[in-house]
Amino acid sequence: MAQFWKPGTEKPRLLEDEDGGVVFLSSSFSSSSSGYGFASIEKQRQRLPVYKYRTAILYLVESHATTIVVGETGSGKTTQIPQFLKEAGWADGGRVIACTQPRRLAVQAVASRVAEEMGVKLGEEVGYTIRFEDVSNSDLTRIKFLTDGVLLREMMDDPLLTKYSVIMVDEAHERSISTDILLGLLKKIQKRRPELRLVISSATIEAKSMSNFFLSSKRRRALEGDELLRPSLEPAILSVEGRGFNVQIHYVEDPVKDYVQAIVSTVLLIHDKEPPGDILVFLTGQDDIDAAIKLLTEEARGNGKTSSGLIILPLYSGLTRAEQDLVFSPTPKGKRKVVISTNIAETSLTLEGIVYVIDSGFSKQRFYNPITDIENLVVAPISKASAKQRAGRAGRIRPGKCYRLYSEEYYLNEMSVQGIPEIQRSNLVSCVIQLKALGIDNILGFDWPASPSPESMIRALEVLYSLGVIDDDAKLTSPVGFQVAEIPQEPMVAKMIISSNELGCLDEIITIASVLSVQSIWFSIRGAQKELDEAKLRFAAAEGDHVTFLNIYKGFLQSGKSSKWCHKNFINYHAMKKVMEIREQLKRIALRLGIVLKSCEADMQLVRKAIAAGFFANACRLEAYSHGGMYKTIRGSQEVYIHPSSVLFRVNPKCVIYHSLVSTDRQYMRNVISIEPSWLTEVAPHFYQQQRHNPNIH
DNA sequence: GAGCACTGC
């Protein structure tokens, strides 16, 4: 059993502020109440911690180009600041206040809350825009919530975002790729539009570096000049307290060898010794979660006293909606809920009723190797910022406790302060083309909040060049480059779509692109693997997985888009509905780009050629004398295998193209289609011509 | 015969 150190002097406050750079404004700025109706809602608003900073916030936004608001959970900053700004006149004269979020669900929730507080109909004065859903009105909407990805897309039509007077970037500390790109671009826009105001909402840990980012060296010089009429270019930092309760932290004395076992022991310890309250456990992935549940169920059963009253539930994104909803159902009296979760509960989902958190100290994180061009998912230690976020989940309803399965010494001395920003862990192909489309040609010189490695940027430029999307001067080509940038898909998929025009198979290709962009269209039930495989066989096409998707789509349409039909065939109905939405979007965009919606009927050779035109770099050749179905990539001689979930598994055609690689003990190709090697020089002569004499091709 | 942290356009 894990031994926890119970410090004699337990920490009075969980969220220790360890960077001294944050300015805390005193409440002398407190505002008087605004003469506003809806008494009860107005009272609720006034009770939010952010309310007493109303005047301070308005003053800072007025006088500073950028205001950084450090606010803990429950401060009310997201719902209140846009309203303060509106009340102060920032939306007068047809201007709009924007507030971005990293996630769609948050956009919808916050927008409807604010519309309710203001007593207006959602979609009119208060609106929102997310992919597939625009609940806003260009004449009426004054406060608009949107995902940061949508705002980036808006910049393609209006690079200076002229209709917005204030842009609030919420959850900036999460440092997603789109937030980072957005921050870099907003900084540029500010130089052209001094009247634009930015509000960056961030966690404590990031505030200082965010402030330094918006105060570049050029600006420091400007500050010394004569800039009286302009707002101060030095960002203001305002800290707003949250409404979380204290969380006591417990550490283990010695490093934990087996964290699944340690979790089980700790759950039973809490259940035995601590007062009622639900437990949230952070683990890395589905495998660990299933193992922990199995072990916990066994040990609880064999331990009479503690076995009663535990409701043990898994939580990860792969679960169906119904399974996920179980964790939100209220815990019956006398019971204790134990939710064993991935990182999904760290930011994306909030559980009420959690009093105890057990933190394994690990999560799965994506890493990208620009040399091999492979993205890997690996279990890695979390950062202090994550650890604090996880612990905070225990203090939402009353004071709670957090059990960290690592030592305090490790936390203090070895854990990194914050995680590596996503942009430094990812393939940058989509990101680079987006910047190019916005006229940023000097990618290497772009002022990022955190610079990606030059190797990753160069690799992205190489891929875009090979696709014919950028030219020798690294400028977007016309029309292909601009078309690819318009299509909201990875550039290789976008190129496949554009190539389908002259091949006359857009109809089929957008179906394939749509299926490839959802997680999985298969409905997997544990223990029903055989049935799933049989269902797959009913649709399997000799050409490969992409053509199999076409068969499934056809069947789905013939069934009248029936959910029953999906169920019978082990197909995920919700995924199919998403496929339909994406397909409609792609169809609309393709038609706008002048691509003709044509079907090639049964001629699958055209479909395969279109796939090759986008994914030629992923072509592989079967190794003639290998018995294990070993392939090598034609370009890099990398050893790869067909994934067992593919319809071409064990079929092993001579030459294939894959859509993506997953790396475990081997590199597995997922979603594979067979091609003729001669097509490669046909669709990508520039890429393969130097290798004309390479025996691998002929 | 194997495996899918989490978002987003």
Side-chain angles (χ1 to χ4, degrees):
Chain A
M1 177 175 291
Q3 292 299 308
F4 285 95
W5 173 55
K6 300 193 179 61
T9 50
E10 267 154 357
K11 295 206 168 55
R13 190 82 184 92
L14 153 71
L15 295 155
E16 323 95 292
D17 281 356
E18 44 202 39
D19 49 346
V22 172
V23 181
F24 193 98
L25 272 147
S26 76
S27 50
S28 61
F29 271 109
S30 271
S31 73
S32 57
S33 76
S34 62
Y36 199 66
F38 305 101
S40 71
I41 282 186
E42 183 60 16
K43 280 232 172 65
Q44 280 182 40
R45 288 187 63 192
Q46 290 174 13
R47 275 202 291 271
L48 290 165
V50 73
Y51 193 82
K52 57 177 181 284
Y53 299 96
R54 186 179 187 277
T55 314
I57 289 167
L58 291 176
Y59 166 75
L60 293 176
V61 171
E62 181 74 41
S63 55
H64 293 73
T66 306
T67 303
I68 295 163
V69 178
V70 176
E72 293 165 11
T73 348
S75 64
K77 57 185 159 56
T78 312
T79 54
Q80 302 310 306
I81 292 176
Q83 293 185 70
F84 296 165
L85 294 167
K86 161 94 176 26
E87 289 155 16
W90 283 98
D92 294 353
R95 297 178 300 170
V96 181
I97 296 158
C99 177
T100 73
Q101 295 289 323
R103 282 169 290 279
R104 296 161 48 107
L105 208 62
V107 168
Q108 289 171 308
V110 175
S112 59
R113 174 68 197 171
V114 171
E116 191 193 344
E117 286 186 8
M118 288 174 55
V120 300
K121 193 165 166 258
L122 187 61
E124 294 181 356
E125 210 174 328
V126 175
Y128 71 87
T129 308
I130 54 180
R131 188 184 189 181
F132 309 132
E133 219 181 317
D134 183 9
V135 186
S136 75
N137 177 316
S138 53
D139 295 324
L140 297 176
T141 301
R142 299 279 78 91
I143 299 179
K144 185 164 152 188
F145 293 90
L146 25 64
T147 49
D148 31 30
V150 168
L151 189 61
L152 281 176
R153 285 275 154 194
E154 281 191 5
M155 288 178 80
M156 289 190 148
D157 294 326
D158 179 10
L160 292 178
L161 296 170
T162 48
K163 67 178 174 187
Y164 299 108
S165 57
V166 185
I167 296 169
M168 173 168 172
V169 181
D170 206 4
E171 314 283 5
H173 58 273
E174 286 187 21
R175 307 300 300 272
S176 71
I177 289 185
S178 25
T179 311
D180 271 16
I181 300 176
L182 188 61
L183 291 172
L185 291 166
L186 288 174
K187 183 177 168 180
K188 267 182 111 73
I189 292 179
Q190 267 187 329
K191 288 181 190 150
R192 303 271 299 274
R193 286 189 58 203
E195 81 282 8
L196 174 71
R197 295 297 190 278
L198 300 181
V199 176
I200 313 292
S201 134
S202 171
T204 318
I205 245 166
E206 290 271 0
K208 201 64 200 166
S209 68
M210 211 64 91
S211 167
N212 286 335
F213 171 67
F214 280 98
L215 182 69
S216 68
S217 52
K218 273 185 198 140
R219 287 178 170 222
R220 285 199 192 97
R221 280 200 293 280
L223 280 174
E224 290 152 15
D226 177 27
E227 296 280 335
L228 285 175
L229 292 175
R230 290 189 163 201
S232 167
L233 295 178
E234 184 165 15
I237 302 180
L238 172 79
S239 189
V240 179
E241 73 273 14
R243 280 218 294 202
F245 293 91
N246 291 354
V247 176
Q248 257 181 32
I249 310 286
H250 297 282
Y251 295 94
V252 293
E253 288 173 339
D254 302 308
V256 166
K257 277 193 215 97
D258 175 352
Y259 59 68
V260 170
Q261 176 63 55
I263 277 163
V264 169
S265 308
T266 310
V267 169
L268 294 173
L269 180 81
I270 294 169
H271 189 48
D272 199 30
K273 301 269 197 276
E274 297 287 342
D278 294 339
I279 304 173
L280 173 61
V281 179
F282 285 102
L283 260 176
T284 57
Q286 193 176 331
D287 280 355
D288 278 353
I289 290 172
D290 290 344
I293 289 177
K294 189 160 167 278
L295 192 63
L296 181 56
T297 312
E298 280 167 12
E299 291 207 7
R301 196 181 293 132
N303 183 349
K305 195 167 60 138
T306 51
S307 68
S308 60
L310 282 184
I311 301 171
I312 306 165
L313 298 168
L315 180 61
Y316 43 84
S317 78
L319 295 174
T320 64
R321 254 324 261 284
E323 288 169 309
Q324 283 192 13
D325 284 346
L326 283 179
V327 305
F328 294 107
S329 59
T331 311
K333 246 199 148 102
K335 300 264 184 187
R336 193 198 294 272
K337 194 155 66 186
V338 183
V339 177
I340 307 191
S341 172
T342 59
N343 247 11
I344 193 171
E346 195 180 301
T347 49
S348 303
L349 294 177
T350 303
L351 299 171
E352 296 304 329
I354 299 296
V355 179
Y356 308 96
V357 160
I358 303 173
D359 174 13
S360 64
F362 290 93
S363 70
K364 279 195 184 171
Q365 293 161 38
R366 178 171 56 207
F367 287 94
Y368 172 65
N369 180 343
I371 310 298
T372 55
D373 193 29
I374 291 174
E375 284 184 332
N376 255 328
L377 207 55
V378 295
V379 173
I382 61 168
S383 66
K384 276 186 187 164
S386 272
K388 288 180 182 181
Q389 177 74 15
R390 288 179 172 188
R393 293 306 204 193
R396 291 185 66 84
I397 51 160
R398 58 184 166 90
K401 291 187 178 182
C402 173
Y403 298 79
R404 291 179 170 160
L405 300 180
Y406 38 91
S407 69
E408 185 173 33
E409 200 262 326
Y410 172 81
Y411 174 80
L412 292 174
N413 303 326
E414 284 176 64
M415 211 173 221
S416 64
V417 174
Q418 58 204 58
I420 301 167
E422 194 186 7
I423 201 151
Q424 296 176 334
R425 297 184 281 116
S426 314
N427 175 314
L428 298 178
V429 174
S430 299
C431 167
V432 167
I433 193 170
Q434 227 166 350
L435 289 175
K436 292 265 171 207
L438 292 167
I440 315 285
D441 277 321
N442 182 4
I443 300 294
L444 292 162
F446 185 67
D447 193 3
W448 310 82
S451 283
S453 72
E455 291 83 2
S456 301
M457 288 191 265
I458 287 162
R459 168 62 79 151
L461 291 167
E462 277 170 9
V463 172
L464 291 174
Y465 181 78
S466 78
L467 286 170
V469 163
I470 57 174
D471 60 22
D472 291 332
D473 300 322
K475 291 224 179 345
L476 277 193
T477 55
S478 184
V480 173
F482 286 95
Q483 289 176 326
V484 167
E486 277 284 301
I487 298 173
Q489 289 281 340
E490 302 161 45
M492 279 161 52
V493 175
K495 180 68 191 293
M496 167 178 91
I497 292 172
I498 289 164
S499 306
S500 71
N501 193 25
E502 51 192 89
L503 291 161
C505 56
L506 178 70
D507 196 43
E508 285 77 14
I509 286 296
I510 55 174
T511 302
I512 290 170
S514 306
V515 175
L516 287 171
S517 52
V518 300
Q519 291 243 325
S520 170
I521 52 167
W522 297 107
F523 197 97
S524 57
I525 306 166
R526 238 157 301 158
Q529 193 56 50
K530 203 170 143 240
E531 288 88 338
L532 175 64
D533 284 350
E534 283 166 9
K536 263 185 197 177
L537 276 180
R538 288 201 281 278
F539 301 100
E543 295 90 343
D545 298 302
H546 302 66
V547 177
T548 304
F549 295 151
L550 290 177
N551 293 340
I552 293 167
Y553 181 74
K554 210 152 105 194
F556 181 61
L557 288 190
Q558 278 168 358
S559 79
K561 302 176 192 169
S562 141
S563 63
K564 252 194 184 150
W565 179 88
C566 287
H567 193 78
K568 204 176 72 197
N569 290 297
F570 284 78
I571 285 160
N572 183 337
Y573 177 65
H574 293 286
M576 286 309 286
K577 282 210 330 213
K578 207 169 164 198
V579 165
M580 302 294 296
E581 277 186 330
I582 298 172
R583 194 178 183 283
E584 280 309 305
Q585 189 193 32
L586 292 178
K587 189 165 114 187
R588 212 173 50 238
I589 293 170
L591 294 182
R592 200 173 67 210
L593 295 174
I595 304 174
V596 189
L597 185 67
K598 235 180 109 184
S599 164
C600 59
E601 308 300 336
D603 190 353
M604 287 305 124
Q605 180 158 326
L606 295 171
V607 169
R608 289 152 71 206
K609 275 191 179 174
I611 296 168
F615 286 86
F616 52 83
N618 293 356
C620 302
R621 179 120 189 149
L622 183 69
E623 286 291 287
Y625 300 104
S626 92
H627 299 289
M630 186 214 288
Y631 284 78
K632 278 195 174 161
T633 58
I634 293 178
R635 204 51 203 281
S637 289
Q638 176 115 27
E639 191 180 303
V640 292
Y641 295 82
I642 294 180
H643 194 278
S645 67
S646 167
V647 296
L648 293 185
F649 181 68
R650 287 213 190 105
V651 178
N652 295 336
K654 275 201 184 99
C655 188
V656 298
I657 281 181
Y658 64 84
H659 177 254
S660 61
L661 284 182
V662 286
S663 33
T664 52
D665 51 331
R666 282 175 171 183
Q667 304 288 344
Y668 283 104
M669 304 184 268
R670 280 179 115 181
N671 296 323
V672 183
I673 187 98
S674 74
I675 58 151
E676 293 297 328
S678 62
W679 298 350
L680 292 172
T681 41
E682 197 179 309
V683 296
H686 52 291
F687 195 77
Y688 283 108
Q689 74 192 158
Q690 306 95 308
Q691 305 191 0
R692 195 170 291 144
H693 306 293
N694 185 332
N696 265 342
I697 297 211
H698 294 283

